[in-house]
Amino acid sequence: MHDARLKLAVLASGRGSNLQAIIDAIENGKLNAALAVVISNKPEAAALARARKHGAPAVFLDPKATPDREAYDAAILECLRKHEVELVALAGYMKIVTRVLIDAYPNRIMNIHPSLLPAFPGLKAQQQALDWGVKVSGCTVHFVTEGVDAGPIIRQATVPVLEGDTAESLETRILVEEHRIYTEAIRLFADGHLTVKGRYVSIT
Ligand code: GRF
């Protein structure tokens, strides 16, 4: 029988707690999607083991096997097409995505970032927030465009920065919200509630 659920791919490089939140939402019936494949650029990524445990294909693609980022993304694209993927979720994916993927999946690649964008893009966003002295930080789910952490914003959640916070304690508090809003953003996409107009994502 034809599976009408949204076919989702997750690209992850590390521990995969956001992937786990997505898996849990699928297994609990809160997210009407099927995890079609998990792809990693790191063979030891815990995310791959989490995918296998869920019974989803887990694929390591070696960046060293391709001459440049575009060729690597072409290899990813081939894998996505093989699994008929409709939406790609980057979850702790530590590589910059090129036009090869973005053009093939316009407004169909999401990312989660641990700050309130456009503040603190790039690496170590939690430390950047502490160094700046902000009193509120949080996380952002956005569509992926060519600029790093720069695409149209889908969902954001705020988290207070507390006296004595370290990058780790702030990260832990932000992660709780990441897991909540990422699964929510994917659910909104899966259920057809997102429309992108320029930079603006309307939720209906
Ligand atoms: C998260 O903080 C996410 O916002 C950032 O990388 C981290 C990934 O964590 N892009 P995990 O691998 O999902 O646990």
Side-chain angles (χ1 to χ4, degrees), residues 14-19 91-92 111-114 126 175 178:
R15 109 197 115 179
S17 73
N18 278 285
L19 167 66
N111 183 42
I112 177 95
H113 183 76
Q126 302 91 341
L175 264 181
E178 289 190 32

Side-chain angles (χ1 to χ4, degrees), residues 1 12 26 34 40 81 89 149 162 165-166 181 189 194:
M1 219 177 72
I26 291 172
S40 184
R81 292 209 164 120
D149 300 324
L162 304 179
D165 252 343
T166 60
I181 67 168
F189 183 98
L194 301 182

Side-chain angles (χ1 to χ4, degrees), residues 27 33 60 62 67 89 93-94 97 106 108 124 155 159-160 165 168 201:
E27 290 183 347
F60 160 61
D62 189 353
Y93 181 60
M94 301 305 284
V97 169
R108 287 191 292 149
K124 299 193 171 159
R155 268 276 189 257
V159 167
D165 252 343
E168 291 70 33
V201 179

Side-chain angles (χ1 to χ4, degrees), residues 20-191:
Q20 191 61 53
I22 293 165
I23 289 173
D24 292 346
I26 291 172
E27 290 183 347
N28 296 336
K30 289 186 184 138
L31 179 57
N32 191 23
L35 189 58
V37 63
V38 173
I39 303 173
S40 184
N41 60 325
K42 299 278 182 195
E44 72 284 0
L48 291 175
R50 293 184 195 266
R52 283 190 205 104
K53 198 169 168 212
H54 173 69
V59 179
F60 160 61
L61 288 177
D62 189 353
K64 292 196 204 85
T66 44
D68 53 29
R69 285 196 280 153
E70 283 75 16
Y72 184 69
D73 278 359
I76 290 187
L77 188 54
E78 194 184 318
C79 184
L80 296 176
R81 292 209 164 120
K82 182 177 151 206
H83 292 279
E84 300 179 339
V85 167
E86 296 164 295
L87 177 70
V88 180
L90 310 184
Y93 181 60
M94 301 305 284
K95 281 179 76 71
I96 291 172
V97 169
T98 69
R99 287 217 73 90
V100 172
L101 277 188
I102 294 166
D103 289 349
Y105 282 88
N107 292 331
R108 287 191 292 149
I109 306 175
M110 288 184 186
N111 183 42
I112 177 95
H113 183 76
S115 76
L116 292 175
L117 290 171
F120 316 130
L123 296 174
K124 299 193 171 159
Q126 302 91 341
Q127 188 62 53
Q128 290 186 56
L130 289 179
D131 292 346
W132 199 261
V134 295
K135 303 299 184 201
V136 176
S137 192
C139 48
T140 304
V141 182
H142 63 92
F143 283 115
V144 173
T145 55
E146 262 197 297
V148 172
D149 300 324
I153 289 170
I154 303 163
R155 268 276 189 257
Q156 292 187 298
T158 58
V159 167
V161 179
L162 304 179
E163 204 66 42
D165 252 343
T166 60
E168 291 70 33
S169 62
L170 183 57
E171 175 183 354
T172 304
R173 206 172 317 113
I174 291 174
L175 264 181
V176 175
E177 293 303 304
E178 289 190 32
H179 299 161
R180 184 175 66 77
I181 67 168
Y182 211 3
T183 49
E184 192 178 291
I186 295 168
R187 182 178 58 73
L188 289 168
F189 183 98
D191 294 346

